[in-house]
Amino acid sequence: MLALIIIPAVMVALIALVSYVSTLRGYFLADDLLPLADLHKAWHGHPEILLHSLVSPWLMDKNFLLVYRPLVELSLALDYVFWQTNPFGYHLTNLLCHMWASVALFLVAKRLLCDYSGIQATSTAFFSAALFAAFPAHQEAVFWIVGRADTLCTALCLTALWLFIRAQQQGRHDTNWLSLSMCILAFLAKEMAISLPAVLTLYCLVFSAPPQSWQQRTTDALRQTLPYWIAIAILIIIRTAVLGTVFGGH
């Protein structure tokens, strides 16, 4: 039974690796140089620059990019510790995030297909994740170092979703703190994680016990996902305080 999870998951990871391994030979591109310059200063006598980046708009230029993504800043800082100005390590992190997201998608799909036989669920989930892993449209997110905001957020969102679904299927309706933590980290990587509470609520509505009325199902769904809604609301308030506006972007 475990082989129906581990072997396909490893194969999906390998497909993602083979599809994008050429990115490891890449270089720094355009916006990649902006955080790199700040990190060089931070690790050479000005640590306040890194600390400031965690409580300020990303890239510290409100005229250029008005977003708040401290988790991406931290991941780039960690890369700099090990790789300094060698682009290989940064591209490796991006590739690992894509592999993680691909495997997480496989796990989510397999959970969603739990009513089917093991072979049917596994094969369908595998081919879905394999298509995602090898899809060429991910090139920018994987190759462009600052594009890891997309891959990192996707990996965290899918992991949070998988943990939530697994808990629900196991009959555990209490707060899944690991899933909630992944949701919070995903929002700190990119704003698109704001949709995750809605996705979890929709899952509860669709897969809740049919005998219940829609009013009951909606109430139960909101109750089970309330911590996620609260967490996102708090993060939006923090983001608004940092950026000085509810909205943002380029």
Side-chain angles (χ1 to χ4, degrees):
M1 185 65 178
L2 196 60
L4 289 176
I5 298 177
I6 295 178
I7 294 176
V10 171
M11 291 176 65
V12 167
L14 289 175
I15 290 171
L17 174 62
V18 171
S19 300
Y20 285 96
V21 68
S22 61
T23 62
L24 297 178
R25 300 194 299 271
Y27 44 85
F28 295 115
L29 177 68
D31 299 342
D32 295 340
L33 298 174
L34 294 174
L36 194 68
D38 286 336
L39 287 171
H40 177 78
K41 296 175 185 176
W43 292 109
H44 291 82
H46 297 280
E48 70 279 1
I49 292 178
L50 178 59
L51 295 176
H52 179 67
S53 69
L54 302 180
V55 292
S56 64
W58 195 24
L59 303 178
M60 297 188 293
D61 188 348
K62 290 187 177 183
N63 296 319
F64 174 69
L65 190 66
L66 195 57
V67 295
Y68 181 56
R69 298 170 184 174
L71 187 63
V72 179
E73 293 273 10
L74 285 174
S75 71
L76 292 171
L78 186 61
D79 279 343
Y80 190 89
V81 171
F82 293 101
W83 302 98
Q84 282 77 52
T85 56
N86 183 352
F88 174 86
Y90 298 82
H91 287 296
L92 178 62
T93 300
N94 276 29
L95 180 55
L96 290 174
C97 286
H98 177 58
M99 293 167 65
W100 173 13
S102 301
V103 172
L105 177 60
F106 164 75
L107 296 173
V108 169
K110 193 172 187 312
R111 280 285 173 182
L112 291 173
L113 297 168
C114 63
D115 291 336
Y116 294 87
S117 67
I119 297 297
Q120 284 181 308
T122 301
S123 59
T124 304
F126 169 76
F127 284 113
S128 300
L131 178 61
F132 176 86
F135 202 62
H138 300 312
Q139 182 177 2
E140 181 178 290
V142 181
F143 181 83
W144 193 24
I145 290 171
V146 296
R148 77 172 54 166
D150 291 302
T151 53
L152 183 56
C153 180
T154 301
L156 288 165
C157 280
L158 288 171
T159 303
L161 178 58
W162 171 65
L163 290 168
F164 182 85
I165 295 174
R166 186 181 68 169
Q168 292 288 310
Q169 291 179 349
Q170 292 174 349
R172 292 169 38 221
H173 300 298
D174 54 327
T175 301
N176 189 321
W177 294 106
L178 184 55
S179 174
L180 181 60
S181 300
M182 293 291 178
C183 174
I184 293 171
L185 291 174
F187 187 83
L188 295 177
K190 191 170 183 179
E191 298 79 4
M192 67 181 182
I194 195 174
S195 63
L196 186 56
V199 172
L200 299 179
T201 303
L202 183 61
Y203 170 84
C204 292
L205 280 171
V206 173
F207 291 94
S208 59
Q212 293 180 320
S213 65
W214 274 105
Q215 291 81 359
Q216 279 184 304
R217 295 167 76 170
T218 302
T219 301
D220 288 345
L222 290 174
R223 176 179 54 80
Q224 293 171 36
T225 59
L226 182 60
Y228 296 86
W229 290 105
I230 293 175
I232 290 296
I234 293 173
L235 289 169
I236 290 175
I237 292 172
I238 294 173
R239 179 181 181 276
T240 302
V242 170
L243 299 182
T245 175
V246 177
F247 304 101
H250 291 275

Coordinates of all heavy atoms in Angstrom, one line a residue, residues 87-167:
P87 N 25.2 31.3 -8.8 CA 23.8 31.1 -9.1 C 23.3 29.7 -9.0 O 22.1 29.5 -8.9 CB 23.7 31.7 -10.5 CG 25.1 31.5 -11.1 CD 26.0 31.8 -9.9
F88 N 24.3 28.7 -9.0 CA 23.9 27.3 -9.0 C 23.0 27.0 -7.8 O 21.9 26.4 -7.9 CB 25.1 26.4 -9.0 CG 24.8 24.9 -8.8 CD1 24.5 24.2 -9.9 CD2 24.7 24.4 -7.5 CE1 24.1 22.8 -9.7 CE2 24.4 23.0 -7.4 CZ 24.1 22.2 -8.5
G89 N 23.4 27.5 -6.6 CA 22.6 27.1 -5.4 C 21.2 27.7 -5.4 O 20.3 27.1 -4.9
Y90 N 21.1 28.9 -5.9 CA 19.8 29.6 -6.0 C 18.9 28.9 -6.9 O 17.7 28.7 -6.6 CB 20.0 31.1 -6.4 CG 20.8 31.9 -5.5 CD1 22.2 31.9 -5.5 CD2 20.2 32.7 -4.6 CE1 23.0 32.6 -4.7 CE2 21.0 33.5 -3.7 CZ 22.3 33.5 -3.8 OH 23.1 34.2 -2.9
H91 N 19.4 28.4 -8.1 CA 18.6 27.7 -9.0 C 18.3 26.3 -8.4 O 17.2 25.8 -8.7 CB 19.4 27.5 -10.3 CG 19.4 28.8 -11.1 ND1 18.3 29.4 -11.7 CD2 20.5 29.6 -11.5 CE1 18.6 30.5 -12.3 NE2 20.0 30.6 -12.2
L92 N 19.2 25.7 -7.7 CA 18.9 24.4 -7.0 C 17.7 24.6 -6.1 O 16.8 23.7 -6.0 CB 20.1 23.9 -6.3 CG 19.9 22.6 -5.5 CD1 19.6 21.5 -6.5 CD2 21.2 22.3 -4.7
T93 N 17.6 25.6 -5.3 CA 16.5 25.9 -4.4 C 15.2 26.0 -5.2 O 14.2 25.4 -4.8 CB 16.7 27.1 -3.5 OG1 17.9 27.0 -2.8 CG2 15.6 27.3 -2.6
N94 N 15.2 26.7 -6.3 CA 14.1 26.9 -7.1 C 13.6 25.5 -7.6 O 12.4 25.2 -7.7 CB 14.3 27.8 -8.3 CG 14.2 29.3 -7.9 OD1 14.4 29.7 -6.8 ND2 13.8 30.1 -8.9
L95 N 14.5 24.7 -8.1 CA 14.2 23.4 -8.6 C 13.6 22.5 -7.6 O 12.6 21.8 -7.8 CB 15.4 22.8 -9.3 CG 15.2 21.4 -9.9 CD1 14.1 21.4 -10.9 CD2 16.5 20.9 -10.5
L96 N 14.2 22.5 -6.4 CA 13.7 21.7 -5.3 C 12.2 22.2 -4.9 O 11.4 21.3 -4.6 CB 14.6 21.8 -4.1 CG 15.9 21.2 -4.2 CD1 16.8 21.5 -3.0 CD2 15.8 19.7 -4.3
C97 N 11.9 23.5 -5.0 CA 10.6 23.9 -4.7 C 9.6 23.4 -5.7 O 8.5 23.0 -5.4 CB 10.6 25.5 -4.7 SG 11.3 26.2 -3.2
H98 N 10.0 23.4 -7.0 CA 9.2 22.8 -8.0 C 8.9 21.4 -7.8 O 7.8 20.9 -8.0 CB 9.8 23.1 -9.4 CG 9.0 22.6 -10.5 ND1 7.7 22.9 -10.8 CD2 9.3 21.6 -11.5 CE1 7.2 22.2 -11.8 NE2 8.2 21.5 -12.3
M99 N 10.0 20.6 -7.5 CA 9.8 19.2 -7.2 C 8.9 18.9 -6.0 O 8.0 18.1 -6.1 CB 11.2 18.6 -6.9 CG 12.1 18.6 -8.1 SD 13.8 18.2 -7.7 CE 13.7 16.5 -7.1
W100 N 9.0 19.8 -5.0 CA 8.1 19.7 -3.8 C 6.7 19.9 -4.2 O 5.8 19.2 -3.8 CB 8.6 20.7 -2.8 CG 7.8 20.8 -1.6 CD1 6.7 20.0 -1.2 CD2 7.9 21.9 -0.6 NE1 6.2 20.5 0.0 CE2 6.8 21.7 0.4 CE3 8.7 23.0 -0.5 CZ2 6.7 22.5 1.4 CZ3 8.5 23.8 0.6 CH2 7.5 23.6 1.6
A101 N 6.4 21.0 -5.0 CA 5.1 21.3 -5.4 C 4.5 20.2 -6.3 O 3.3 19.8 -6.1 CB 5.1 22.6 -6.2
S102 N 5.3 19.6 -7.1 CA 4.8 18.5 -8.0 C 4.4 17.3 -7.2 O 3.3 16.6 -7.4 CB 5.9 18.1 -9.0 OG 6.2 19.2 -9.8
V103 N 5.2 16.9 -6.2 CA 4.9 15.8 -5.3 C 3.7 16.1 -4.5 O 2.8 15.2 -4.3 CB 6.1 15.4 -4.4 CG1 5.7 14.4 -3.4 CG2 7.3 14.9 -5.3
A104 N 3.6 17.3 -4.0 CA 2.4 17.7 -3.2 C 1.1 17.6 -4.0 O 0.1 17.2 -3.5 CB 2.6 19.1 -2.6
L105 N 1.2 18.0 -5.2 CA 0.0 17.9 -6.1 C -0.4 16.4 -6.3 O -1.6 16.1 -6.2 CB 0.3 18.5 -7.5 CG -0.8 18.4 -8.5 CD1 -2.0 19.1 -8.0 CD2 -0.3 18.9 -9.9
F106 N 0.6 15.5 -6.4 CA 0.3 14.1 -6.5 C -0.4 13.6 -5.2 O -1.5 12.9 -5.3 CB 1.6 13.3 -6.7 CG 1.4 11.8 -6.4 CD1 0.8 11.0 -7.3 CD2 1.9 11.3 -5.2 CE1 0.6 9.6 -7.1 CE2 1.7 9.9 -5.0 CZ 1.1 9.1 -5.9
L107 N 0.0 14.0 -4.1 CA -0.6 13.6 -2.8 C -2.0 14.1 -2.7 O -2.9 13.4 -2.2 CB 0.3 14.1 -1.6 CG 1.7 13.5 -1.6 CD1 2.5 14.1 -0.4 CD2 1.6 11.9 -1.3
V108 N -2.2 15.4 -3.1 CA -3.5 16.0 -3.0 C -4.5 15.2 -4.0 O -5.6 14.9 -3.6 CB -3.5 17.5 -3.4 CG1 -4.9 18.0 -3.6 CG2 -2.8 18.3 -2.3
A109 N -4.1 15.0 -5.2 CA -4.9 14.3 -6.2 C -5.2 12.9 -5.7 O -6.4 12.5 -5.9 CB -4.2 14.3 -7.5
K110 N -4.3 12.2 -5.1 CA -4.6 10.9 -4.6 C -5.6 10.9 -3.5 O -6.4 10.0 -3.4 CB -3.3 10.2 -4.2 CG -3.4 8.7 -4.0 CD -2.1 8.0 -3.7 CE -2.2 6.5 -3.7 NZ -3.3 6.0 -2.9
R111 N -5.5 11.9 -2.6 CA -6.5 12.0 -1.5 C -7.9 12.3 -2.1 O -8.9 11.7 -1.6 CB -6.0 13.1 -0.6 CG -5.0 12.6 0.4 CD -5.6 11.8 1.5 NE -4.5 11.2 2.4 CZ -4.8 10.3 3.4 NH1 -6.1 10.0 3.6 NH2 -3.9 9.8 4.1
L112 N -7.9 13.1 -3.1 CA -9.2 13.5 -3.7 C -9.9 12.3 -4.4 O -11.1 12.3 -4.5 CB -9.1 14.7 -4.6 CG -8.7 16.0 -4.0 CD1 -8.4 17.0 -5.1 CD2 -9.9 16.5 -3.1
L113 N -9.1 11.3 -4.8 CA -9.6 10.2 -5.5 C -9.7 8.9 -4.6 O -9.6 7.8 -5.1 CB -8.7 9.9 -6.7 CG -8.6 11.0 -7.8 CD1 -7.5 10.7 -8.8 CD2 -9.9 11.1 -8.5
C114 N -9.8 9.2 -3.3 CA -9.7 8.0 -2.4 C -10.9 7.0 -2.5 O -10.8 5.9 -2.1 CB -9.7 8.6 -0.9 SG -11.2 9.5 -0.5
D115 N -12.0 7.5 -3.2 CA -13.1 6.5 -3.4 C -12.9 5.5 -4.5 O -13.7 4.6 -4.7 CB -14.4 7.3 -3.7 CG -14.9 8.1 -2.4 OD1 -14.5 7.7 -1.3 OD2 -15.6 9.1 -2.6
Y116 N -11.9 5.8 -5.3 CA -11.5 4.8 -6.4 C -10.5 3.8 -5.9 O -10.0 3.9 -4.8 CB -11.0 5.6 -7.6 CG -12.0 6.5 -8.2 CD1 -12.1 7.8 -7.7 CD2 -12.8 6.1 -9.3 CE1 -13.1 8.7 -8.3 CE2 -13.7 6.9 -9.9 CZ -13.8 8.2 -9.4 OH -14.7 9.1 -10.0
S117 N -10.3 2.8 -6.7 CA -9.4 1.7 -6.3 C -8.0 2.3 -6.2 O -7.7 3.4 -6.8 CB -9.4 0.6 -7.3 OG -8.9 1.0 -8.6
G118 N -7.1 1.6 -5.5 CA -5.7 2.1 -5.3 C -5.0 2.4 -6.6 O -4.3 3.4 -6.8
I119 N -5.1 1.4 -7.6 CA -4.4 1.6 -8.8 C -5.0 2.8 -9.6 O -4.3 3.6 -10.2 CB -4.5 0.3 -9.7 CG1 -3.8 -0.9 -8.9 CG2 -3.9 0.5 -11.0 CD1 -2.4 -0.7 -8.8
Q120 N -6.3 2.9 -9.7 CA -7.0 4.0 -10.4 C -6.6 5.3 -9.8 O -6.2 6.3 -10.5 CB -8.5 3.8 -10.4 CG -9.1 2.7 -11.3 CD -10.6 2.7 -11.2 OE1 -11.1 2.6 -10.1 NE2 -11.2 2.7 -12.3
A121 N -6.7 5.4 -8.5 CA -6.4 6.7 -7.8 C -4.9 7.1 -8.1 O -4.6 8.2 -8.4 CB -6.7 6.6 -6.4
T122 N -4.0 6.1 -7.9 CA -2.6 6.4 -8.0 C -2.2 6.7 -9.4 O -1.5 7.7 -9.6 CB -1.8 5.1 -7.5 OG1 -2.1 4.8 -6.2 CG2 -0.3 5.4 -7.7
S123 N -2.7 6.0 -10.4 CA -2.3 6.3 -11.8 C -2.9 7.6 -12.3 O -2.1 8.4 -12.9 CB -2.9 5.2 -12.7 OG -4.3 5.1 -12.6
T124 N -4.1 8.0 -11.9 CA -4.7 9.3 -12.3 C -3.9 10.4 -11.6 O -3.6 11.4 -12.2 CB -6.2 9.3 -11.9 OG1 -6.9 8.3 -12.5 CG2 -6.8 10.7 -12.4
A125 N -3.6 10.2 -10.3 CA -2.9 11.3 -9.6 C -1.5 11.4 -10.1 O -0.9 12.5 -10.3 CB -2.8 10.9 -8.1
F126 N -0.9 10.3 -10.5 CA 0.5 10.3 -11.0 C 0.6 11.1 -12.3 O 1.4 11.9 -12.5 CB 1.0 8.9 -11.2 CG 2.3 8.8 -12.0 CD1 3.5 9.2 -11.4 CD2 2.3 8.4 -13.3 CE1 4.7 9.2 -12.1 CE2 3.5 8.4 -14.0 CZ 4.7 8.8 -13.4
F127 N -0.3 10.7 -13.3 CA -0.3 11.4 -14.6 C -0.6 12.9 -14.5 O -0.1 13.7 -15.2 CB -1.2 10.7 -15.6 CG -0.7 9.4 -16.1 CD1 -1.3 8.2 -15.7 CD2 0.5 9.4 -16.9 CE1 -0.7 7.0 -16.2 CE2 1.0 8.2 -17.3 CZ 0.4 7.0 -17.0
S128 N -1.5 13.2 -13.5 CA -1.8 14.7 -13.3 C -0.6 15.4 -12.8 O -0.2 16.5 -13.3 CB -3.0 14.8 -12.3 OG -4.1 14.2 -12.8
A129 N 0.1 14.8 -11.8 CA 1.3 15.5 -11.2 C 2.4 15.5 -12.2 O 3.2 16.4 -12.3 CB 1.6 14.8 -9.9
A130 N 2.6 14.4 -13.0 CA 3.6 14.3 -14.0 C 3.5 15.4 -15.0 O 4.5 16.0 -15.5 CB 3.7 12.9 -14.6
L131 N 2.2 15.6 -15.5 CA 2.0 16.7 -16.5 C 2.4 18.0 -15.9 O 3.0 18.9 -16.5 CB 0.5 16.7 -16.9 CG 0.1 17.8 -17.9 CD1 0.8 17.6 -19.2 CD2 -1.4 17.7 -18.1
F132 N 2.0 18.3 -14.6 CA 2.3 19.5 -13.9 C 3.9 19.6 -13.8 O 4.4 20.7 -14.1 CB 1.7 19.5 -12.5 CG 2.1 20.7 -11.7 CD1 1.4 21.9 -11.8 CD2 3.1 20.7 -10.8 CE1 1.7 23.0 -11.0 CE2 3.5 21.7 -10.0 CZ 2.8 22.9 -10.2
A133 N 4.5 18.6 -13.4 CA 6.0 18.6 -13.2 C 6.7 19.0 -14.5 O 7.7 19.7 -14.4 CB 6.4 17.2 -12.7
A134 N 6.3 18.4 -15.6 CA 7.0 18.6 -16.9 C 6.5 19.8 -17.7 O 7.0 20.1 -18.8 CB 6.9 17.4 -17.7
F135 N 5.4 20.4 -17.3 CA 4.7 21.5 -18.1 C 5.7 22.6 -18.3 O 6.3 23.2 -17.4 CB 3.5 22.0 -17.3 CG 2.5 22.6 -18.2 CD1 1.9 21.9 -19.2 CD2 2.2 24.0 -18.1 CE1 1.0 22.5 -20.1 CE2 1.2 24.6 -18.9 CZ 0.6 23.8 -19.9
P136 N 5.9 23.0 -19.6 CA 6.9 24.0 -19.9 C 6.6 25.4 -19.5 O 7.5 26.3 -19.4 CB 7.0 23.9 -21.4 CG 5.7 23.4 -21.9 CD 5.3 22.4 -20.8
A137 N 5.3 25.7 -19.1 CA 4.9 27.0 -18.7 C 5.5 27.4 -17.4 O 5.5 28.6 -17.0 CB 3.4 27.2 -18.7
H138 N 6.1 26.5 -16.6 CA 6.7 26.8 -15.3 C 8.1 27.3 -15.5 O 8.7 27.6 -14.4 CB 6.7 25.5 -14.4 CG 5.3 24.9 -14.2 ND1 4.3 25.7 -13.8 CD2 4.9 23.6 -14.3 CE1 3.2 24.9 -13.6 NE2 3.6 23.7 -13.9
Q139 N 8.6 27.4 -16.7 CA 10.0 27.8 -16.9 C 10.4 29.1 -16.2 O 11.4 29.1 -15.5 CB 10.2 27.9 -18.4 CG 11.7 28.2 -18.7 CD 12.0 28.3 -20.2 OE1 11.1 28.1 -21.0 NE2 13.2 28.5 -20.6
E140 N 9.5 30.1 -16.3 CA 9.9 31.4 -15.6 C 10.0 31.3 -14.1 O 10.9 31.8 -13.5 CB 8.9 32.5 -16.0 CG 9.2 33.8 -15.4 CD 8.2 34.9 -15.8 OE1 8.2 35.3 -17.0 OE2 7.4 35.3 -15.0
A141 N 9.0 30.6 -13.5 CA 9.0 30.4 -12.1 C 10.2 29.6 -11.6 O 10.7 29.9 -10.5 CB 7.7 29.8 -11.6
V142 N 10.6 28.7 -12.4 CA 11.7 27.8 -11.9 C 13.1 28.4 -12.3 O 14.0 28.4 -11.5 CB 11.6 26.4 -12.6 CG1 12.8 25.5 -12.1 CG2 10.3 25.7 -12.2
F143 N 13.2 29.0 -13.5 CA 14.5 29.6 -13.9 C 14.8 30.9 -13.2 O 15.9 31.2 -12.8 CB 14.5 29.7 -15.4 CG 15.8 30.3 -15.9 CD1 16.9 29.4 -16.2 CD2 16.0 31.6 -16.2 CE1 18.1 29.9 -16.6 CE2 17.2 32.1 -16.7 CZ 18.2 31.3 -16.9
W144 N 13.8 31.8 -13.1 CA 14.0 33.1 -12.6 C 14.1 33.0 -11.1 O 13.1 32.5 -10.4 CB 12.8 33.9 -13.0 CG 12.9 35.4 -12.8 CD1 14.1 36.1 -12.7 CD2 11.8 36.3 -12.6 NE1 13.8 37.5 -12.5 CE2 12.4 37.6 -12.5 CE3 10.4 36.2 -12.7 CZ2 11.6 38.7 -12.3 CZ3 9.7 37.3 -12.5 CH2 10.2 38.6 -12.3
I145 N 15.2 33.4 -10.5 CA 15.4 33.1 -9.0 C 14.3 33.8 -8.2 O 13.8 33.1 -7.3 CB 16.8 33.6 -8.6 CG1 17.8 32.6 -9.3 CG2 17.0 33.6 -7.1 CD1 19.3 33.0 -9.1
V146 N 14.0 35.0 -8.4 CA 12.9 35.6 -7.6 C 11.6 35.1 -8.0 O 10.6 35.4 -7.2 CB 13.0 37.2 -7.8 CG1 14.3 37.7 -7.2 CG2 12.7 37.6 -9.2
G147 N 11.5 34.3 -9.0 CA 10.2 33.7 -9.4 C 9.9 32.5 -8.4 O 8.8 32.0 -8.5
R148 N 10.8 32.2 -7.5 CA 10.5 31.2 -6.5 C 9.3 31.5 -5.6 O 8.7 30.7 -4.9 CB 11.7 30.8 -5.7 CG 12.0 31.8 -4.6 CD 13.1 31.4 -3.6 NE 14.3 31.0 -4.4 CZ 15.5 30.8 -3.8 NH1 15.6 31.0 -2.5 NH2 16.5 30.5 -4.5
A149 N 8.9 32.8 -5.6 CA 7.7 33.2 -4.9 C 6.5 32.3 -5.3 O 5.7 31.9 -4.5 CB 7.3 34.6 -5.1
D150 N 6.4 32.0 -6.6 CA 5.3 31.2 -7.2 C 5.5 29.7 -6.8 O 4.5 29.1 -6.3 CB 5.3 31.3 -8.7 CG 4.8 32.7 -9.1 OD1 3.7 33.1 -8.8 OD2 5.6 33.3 -9.9
T151 N 6.7 29.1 -7.0 CA 6.9 27.7 -6.7 C 6.8 27.4 -5.2 O 6.2 26.5 -4.8 CB 8.2 27.2 -7.2 OG1 9.3 28.1 -6.8 CG2 8.2 27.3 -8.7
L152 N 7.4 28.3 -4.4 CA 7.3 28.2 -2.9 C 5.9 28.3 -2.4 O 5.5 27.4 -1.6 CB 8.3 29.2 -2.3 CG 8.4 29.1 -0.7 CD1 8.9 27.7 -0.3 CD2 9.4 30.2 -0.2
C153 N 5.2 29.3 -2.8 CA 3.8 29.4 -2.4 C 2.9 28.3 -2.8 O 2.1 27.8 -2.0 CB 3.2 30.7 -2.9 SG 1.5 31.1 -2.4
T154 N 3.1 27.8 -4.1 CA 2.3 26.7 -4.6 C 2.6 25.4 -3.7 O 1.7 24.7 -3.4 CB 2.7 26.4 -6.0 OG1 2.4 27.6 -6.8 CG2 1.9 25.2 -6.6
A155 N 3.9 25.1 -3.5 CA 4.3 24.0 -2.7 C 3.7 24.0 -1.3 O 3.1 23.0 -0.8 CB 5.8 23.9 -2.6
L156 N 3.7 25.2 -0.7 CA 3.2 25.3 0.7 C 1.6 25.2 0.7 O 1.1 24.5 1.6 CB 3.6 26.6 1.3 CG 5.1 26.8 1.7 CD1 5.5 28.2 1.9 CD2 5.4 25.9 2.9
C157 N 1.0 25.8 -0.3 CA -0.5 25.7 -0.4 C -0.9 24.3 -0.6 O -1.9 23.8 0.1 CB -1.0 26.6 -1.5 SG -1.1 28.3 -1.1
L158 N -0.3 23.6 -1.5 CA -0.7 22.2 -1.8 C -0.4 21.3 -0.6 O -1.2 20.4 -0.3 CB 0.1 21.7 -3.0 CG -0.4 22.3 -4.4 CD1 0.5 21.9 -5.5 CD2 -1.8 21.8 -4.7
T159 N 0.7 21.5 0.1 CA 1.0 20.8 1.3 C -0.1 21.0 2.4 O -0.5 20.1 3.1 CB 2.4 21.1 1.8 OG1 3.4 20.9 0.8 CG2 2.7 20.2 3.1
A160 N -0.4 22.3 2.6 CA -1.5 22.6 3.6 C -2.8 21.9 3.2 O -3.5 21.4 4.1 CB -1.7 24.1 3.6
L161 N -3.1 22.0 1.9 CA -4.4 21.3 1.4 C -4.3 19.8 1.7 O -5.3 19.2 2.2 CB -4.6 21.6 0.0 CG -5.8 21.0 -0.7 CD1 -7.1 21.4 0.0 CD2 -5.8 21.4 -2.2
W162 N -3.2 19.2 1.4 CA -3.1 17.7 1.6 C -3.2 17.4 3.1 O -3.9 16.4 3.4 CB -1.7 17.3 1.1 CG -1.4 15.8 1.4 CD1 -2.1 14.7 1.0 CD2 -0.3 15.4 2.3 NE1 -1.5 13.6 1.6 CE2 -0.4 14.0 2.4 CE3 0.7 16.1 3.0 CZ2 0.4 13.2 3.1 CZ3 1.5 15.3 3.8 CH2 1.4 13.9 3.8
L163 N -2.6 18.1 3.9 CA -2.6 17.9 5.4 C -4.1 18.0 5.9 O -4.5 17.3 6.7 CB -1.7 18.8 6.1 CG -0.2 18.5 6.0 CD1 0.6 19.7 6.5 CD2 0.2 17.2 6.6
F164 N -4.8 19.0 5.3 CA -6.1 19.3 5.8 C -7.0 18.1 5.3 O -7.9 17.6 6.1 CB -6.6 20.6 5.2 CG -8.0 21.0 5.6 CD1 -8.3 21.6 6.8 CD2 -9.1 20.7 4.7 CE1 -9.6 22.0 7.1 CE2 -10.4 21.0 5.1 CZ -10.6 21.7 6.3
I165 N -6.9 17.7 4.0 CA -7.8 16.7 3.5 C -7.5 15.4 4.2 O -8.4 14.6 4.6 CB -7.5 16.5 2.0 CG1 -8.0 17.7 1.2 CG2 -8.2 15.2 1.5 CD1 -7.6 17.7 -0.3
R166 N -6.2 15.1 4.5 CA -5.9 13.8 5.2 C -6.5 13.8 6.6 O -7.1 12.8 7.0 CB -4.4 13.7 5.4 CG -3.9 12.4 6.0 CD -2.4 12.3 6.1 NE -1.9 13.2 7.1 CZ -0.7 13.2 7.6 NH1 0.2 12.3 7.1 NH2 -0.3 14.1 8.5
A167 N -6.5 14.9 7.3 CA -7.1 15.0 8.6 C -8.6 14.8 8.5 O -9.2 14.1 9.4 CB -6.7 16.3 9.3

